[in-house]
């Protein structure tokens, strides 16, 4: 039988690559792992590469990916081009598809996630808020997992780490309620509130389906010092627990970053992972690399050893230049690229290498934009292919980037020796990105653009080059962008912080570097609200307060003064208000909205939002004044109309409440929140049939919103239709097992049906989680009396009486 044979060219290519990269022990450990079945105790499921910048982590990871591909593995490579777990899953899906394996179910859900995220980002600032009796278990889990702190819920991350999880969860429930009013299914809401819980099980199912067709599946996570902030906990849960389902045993994960793995989190996984700390090349590895490029003269080799310290990116750069004399070897840590260019005879290539260091990332289009030269497509394609083959240029995110160790001195060389040309080229690149951004904006709203990753990258590139060119007015523009970016969540805002830091570093502009650093620190410590506070204080809109991050040092901001116009400052306050309310501080939210309205008095969104928060705080007169004004400015605002109807209901102005809620439903017929509020008005008016009709319509509009199901169950129970009520309570509890109000009401219906032991079990479960739930205590007292446990009944009644305060409804 004929056997497939590897070509000579392929064998030569493999050996040449192996000889170039070194790291034989690391590659051998990784390669041999594929010969060990997952069931064997010697098999490793995780490899972690770590070491200082320039030590060759990314290059090794790419080599390991090639090794995996040669063993038939399905692979995906992720780096800091992703800013959240959903973006990671997008890249995995895209790269698997390029290898012939479509993850169709995951693609469908990712598309739905993008759409729902966009919808909620448009609506979250005007979400009507329900008042559940207590947080659901699902929301507590979300809060404890810190998902809101990762930008999964826009504007919520600010206080996620500082609050009691149950308190935060209660407000997460309120956001769930608002999302339910917007979306038609529980899954839609989960895709926005907790996308990992929906997307990750689908990923694992897809991997399980792919596993029989390929020997291995290998996932590579590079630049882990950045991506680990949002990936590490998710990856740990996916690999060490069954929270999301079963991960196929043929999955291997490789991570690479500057730091060792977090032993506090991963310590128990030590027997299943291999640590690969990278040091500079050894002398034999350095000599071997140089010899492979024809650099063998001992004086030259000794000089390379002395100057590079074995740092791979520098050794490989000098090896490519093939120095023949020690005097041809200069310190590559400061002029690595200039040393390389000295040995490049073609002046065109020299200029190309320098010019292409200016963009943060390159693709074929950016490559052409960076060059100040004419040429045919064939000539430019050949130059781009040459550039991509340089040892300090690596593939990343559909394009290429220069290694920082080489790019930094190249930028420094151009900036210091030719400052006017530097500024001119930076402005030229900015103009190109401005043109591309403008073309992408045609016919689209600002809200649509901010959810478009492609548009955001064009804007970031444009901003970076303007800042590098020294356009000081652009700092204010960048901070306006930060305000808008915060509405999209922490991962998007973090990219603006990073571009400020990069421009500050590359242009040696202290104020930009300080802004970038402080914004990143604020996002890490306090989420988007903290970042917005820094922007407001740093631009002088808001005075500094003790204990908060200091505003930007005026000594480093000379010539770069930053200002916010009143409309942007108002948006910043409004966005921070949403974060404060969701973090359990509606009074703080009202304060921020008052500041927003001082700056933009006729903003109907801020008026409607403050009116709703005032309603929740039971300041009904003030709420009505805001909502009246909001409706004068925007009569078609269904949210403001429904909120005013709910406010009037709280004031027992039933006819007026009914008129408002009728109008809200007329404006938005599939508006479950307004329908439930109108049902409450009908209940107060004694119109039980109308009440149930509204609740039926609300359930039809969103059959998987637990709050709506519980409301209809309560109405059916009061109407004596306990069997039907049980069906609604069961449905609500299937969606939210920790929904205390639904379980207590279920207990009451079970008691009405004579199923007292089951009723007692439900009520006990509710009161174990929430001992001060007065209504449940009284229901349990009634069940105890029916069962003859009079002492226990009396104890429950007495405790309920002690808990009840003025105005308390049992």
């Amino acid at each position: 039988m004929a056997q497939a044979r590897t070509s000579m060219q392929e064998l030569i290519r493999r050996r040449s690559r192996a000889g170039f990269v070194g790291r034989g022990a690391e590659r051998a450990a990784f390669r041999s792992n594929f010969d060990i079945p997952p069931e064997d105790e010697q098999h490793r499921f995780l490899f972690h590469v770590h070491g200082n910048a320039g030590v060759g982590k990314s290059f090794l990871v790419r080599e390991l990916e090639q090794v995996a591909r040669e063993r038939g593995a399905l692979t995906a490579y992720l780096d800091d081009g992703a800013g959240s777990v959903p973006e990671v899953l997008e890249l995995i899906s895209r790269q698997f598809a390029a290898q012939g394996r479509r993850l169709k179910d995951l693609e469908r859900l990712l598309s739905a996630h993008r759409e729902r995220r966009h919808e909620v980002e448009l609506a979250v600032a005007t979400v009507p808020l329900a008042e559940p009796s207590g947080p659901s278990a699902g929301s507590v889990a979300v809060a404890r997992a810190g998902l809101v702190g990762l930008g999964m819920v826009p504007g919520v991350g600010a206080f996620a780490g500082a609050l009691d999880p149950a308190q935060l969860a209660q407000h997460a429930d309120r956001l769930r309620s608002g999302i339910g009013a917007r979306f038609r299914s529980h899954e839609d809401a989960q895709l926005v509130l907790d996308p990992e819980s929906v997307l990750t099980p689908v990923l694992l199912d897809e991997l399980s389906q792919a596993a029989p067709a390929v020997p291995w599946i290998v996932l590579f996570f590079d630049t882990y010092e950045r991506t680990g902030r949002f990936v590490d906990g998710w990856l740990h849960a996916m690999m060490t627990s069954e929270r999301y389902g079963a991960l196929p045993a043929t999955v291997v994960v490789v991570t690479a970053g500057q730091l060792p793995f977090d032993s506090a989190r991963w310590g128990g996984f030590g027997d299943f992972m291999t640590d690969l700390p990278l040091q500079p090349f050894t002398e034999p590895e350095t000599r071997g690399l140089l010899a492979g490029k024809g650099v063998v003269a001992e004086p030259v080799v000794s000089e390379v050893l002395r100057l590079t310290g074995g740092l791979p990116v520098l050794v490989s750069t000098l090896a490519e230049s093939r120095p023949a004399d020690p005097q041809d070897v200069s310190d590559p840590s400061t002029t690595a690229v200039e040393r390389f260019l000295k040995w490049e005879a073609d002046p065109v290539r020299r200029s190309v290498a320098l010019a292409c260091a200016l963009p943060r990332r390159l693709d074929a289009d950016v490559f052409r934009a960076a060059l100040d030269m004419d040429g045919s497509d064939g000539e430019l394609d050949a130059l781009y292919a040459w550039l991509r083959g340089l040892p300090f240029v690596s593939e990343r995110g559909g394009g290429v980037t220069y290694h920082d160790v080489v790019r930094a001195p190249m930028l420094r060389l151009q900036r210091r020796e030719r400052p006017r040309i530097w500024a001119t080229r930076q402005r030229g690149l900015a103009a190109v990105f401005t043109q591309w951004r403008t073309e992408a904006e045609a016919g689209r709203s600002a809200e649509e653009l901010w959810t478009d990753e492609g548009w955001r990258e064009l804007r970031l590139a444009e901003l970076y080059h303007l800042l590098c060119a020294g356009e000081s007015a652009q700092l204010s523009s960048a901070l306006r962008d930060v305000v808008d970016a915060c509405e999209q969540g922490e991962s998007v805002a973090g990219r603006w912080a990073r571009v400020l830091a990069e421009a500050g570093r590359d242009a040696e502009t202290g104020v930009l570097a300080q802004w970038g650093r402080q914004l990143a620190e604020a996002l890490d410590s306090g989420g988007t609200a903290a970042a917005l506070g820094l922007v407001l204080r740093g631009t002088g809109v808001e005075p500094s307060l003790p204990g908060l991050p200091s505003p930007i040092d005026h000594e480093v901001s000379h010539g770069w003064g930053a200002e916010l116009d009143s409309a942007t400052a108002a948006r910043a306050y409004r966005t921070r208000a949403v974060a404060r309310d969701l973090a359990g501080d509606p009074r703080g939210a009202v304060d921020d909205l008052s500041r927003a309205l001082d700056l933009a008095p006729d903003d109907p969104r801020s008026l409607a939002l403050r009116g709703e928060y005032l309603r929740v705080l039971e300041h009904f007169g003030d709420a009505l004044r805001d909502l009246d004004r909001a409706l004068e400015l925007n009569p078609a605002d269904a949210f403001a109309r429904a909120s005013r109807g709910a406010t009037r209901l709280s004031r027992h102005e039933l006819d007026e409440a009914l008129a408002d809620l009728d109008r809200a439903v007329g404006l938005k017929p599939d508006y479950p929140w307004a329908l439930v509020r109108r049902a409450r008005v009908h209940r107060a008016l004694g119109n039980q049939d109308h009440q149930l009709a509204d609740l039926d319509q609300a359930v039809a509009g969103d059959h998987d919103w637990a709050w709506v199901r519980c409301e209809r169950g309560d109405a059916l129970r009061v109407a004596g239709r306990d069997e039907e009520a049980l069906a609604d309570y069961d449905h609500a509890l299937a969606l939210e097992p920790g929904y205390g109000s639904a379980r207590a009401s279920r207990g009451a219906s079970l008691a009405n049906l004579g199923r007292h032991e089951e009723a007692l079990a439900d009520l006990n479960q509710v009161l174990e989680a929430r001992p001060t739930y007065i209504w449940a205590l009284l229901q349990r007292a009634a069940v105890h009396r029916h069962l003859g446990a009079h002492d226990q009944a009396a104890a429950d009644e007495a405790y309920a009486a002690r808990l009840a305060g003025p105005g308390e409804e049992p």
Side-chain angles (χ1 to χ4, degrees), residues 407-452:
R407 181 172 180 257
M410 177 180 279
L411 294 178
R412 188 161 56 248
L413 175 72
Q414 297 182 81
R415 187 180 63 251
R416 292 181 177 178
E417 293 190 359
R418 297 180 292 177
R420 290 182 179 82
I421 294 176
W422 159 274
T424 298
R425 287 186 170 179
Q426 295 285 3
R427 291 190 187 98
L429 281 166
V432 171
F433 283 109
T434 300
Q435 177 186 340
W436 292 345
R437 173 184 59 80
T438 303
E439 291 170 355
E441 291 174 350
R444 304 169 71 189
S445 68
E447 290 83 0
E448 289 178 299
L449 294 173
W450 272 100
T451 61
D452 181 345

Side-chain angles (χ1 to χ4, degrees), residues 88-134:
V88 165
L89 299 182
E90 290 266 13
L91 290 171
I92 291 174
S93 180
R94 195 178 308 154
Q95 292 180 41
F96 280 13
Q99 296 166 67
R101 183 72 197 190
R102 289 277 304 277
L103 306 184
K104 294 182 181 179
D105 290 341
L106 182 60
E107 289 175 6
R108 177 184 60 80
L109 274 180
L110 285 167
S111 176
H113 167 71
R114 289 191 298 272
E115 293 172 4
R116 301 301 177 264
R117 172 80 183 250
H118 174 57
E119 291 175 13
V120 78
E121 284 164 353
L122 296 178
V124 72
T126 54
V127 162
L129 304 176
E131 296 95 22
S133 59

Side-chain angles (χ1 to χ4, degrees), residues 690-701:
H690 288 86
Q691 176 193 5
L692 284 169
D694 272 351
L695 292 169
D696 287 343
Q697 187 177 344
V699 170

Side-chain angles (χ1 to χ4, degrees), residues 597-754:
L597 288 163
D598 287 341
L599 295 163
D602 291 330
D603 177 18
R605 289 182 65 188
S606 292
L607 284 163
L609 196 57
R610 187 173 70 173
E612 172 63 10
Y613 293 156
L614 287 167
R615 180 190 72 81
V616 172
L617 291 169
E618 300 184 352
H619 300 320
F620 300 127
D622 292 336
L624 282 179
R625 279 191 290 274
D626 276 350
L627 293 165
D628 287 346
R629 179 59 179 153
L631 287 167
E632 287 177 15
L633 295 166
N634 184 11
D637 185 352
F639 161 77
R641 188 76 62 176
S643 181
R644 190 171 74 173
T647 305
R648 286 173 163 170
L649 172 60
S650 297
R651 287 163 55 102
H652 306 289
E653 299 169 354
L654 301 183
D655 291 337
E656 294 87 345
L658 186 60
D660 269 339
L661 290 162
D662 281 345
R663 177 63 175 149
V665 173
L667 289 166
K668 187 178 178 182
D670 58 343
Y671 198 168
W673 192 88
L675 287 164
V676 171
R677 294 292 173 178
R678 191 170 72 175
R680 290 183 178 182
V681 176
H682 286 311
R683 180 183 65 189
L685 292 169
N687 297 328
Q688 190 177 79
D689 290 344
H690 288 86
Q691 176 193 5
L692 284 169
D694 272 351
L695 292 169
D696 287 343
Q697 187 177 344
V699 170
D702 188 349
H703 62 278
D704 283 336
W705 186 1
W707 178 65
V708 173
R709 286 283 187 168
C710 186
E711 285 280 331
R712 190 174 70 172
D714 288 344
L716 291 167
R717 175 174 52 80
V718 171
R721 296 160 60 179
D722 286 289
E723 290 286 0
E724 295 171 79
L726 278 180
D728 272 340
Y729 297 141
D730 287 343
H731 194 101
L733 290 167
L735 295 167
E736 298 283 355
Y739 195 166
S741 179
R743 193 167 295 280
S745 294
R746 183 176 185 271
S749 276
L750 287 168
N752 291 341
L753 293 169

Side-chain angles (χ1 to χ4, degrees), residues 531-556:
L532 289 166
L534 178 65
V535 171
L536 289 166
R537 293 189 302 279
T539 55
V541 176
E542 183 174 273
S544 296
L545 295 173
L548 292 176
S550 300
I552 301 304
D553 185 350
H554 293 295
E555 292 184 6
V556 301

Side-chain angles (χ1 to χ4, degrees), residues 15 75 156 393 402 521 632 634 723:
R15 292 182 188 178
T75 70
V156 182
V393 176
Y402 280 34
E521 291 171 354
E632 287 177 15
N634 184 11
E723 290 286 0

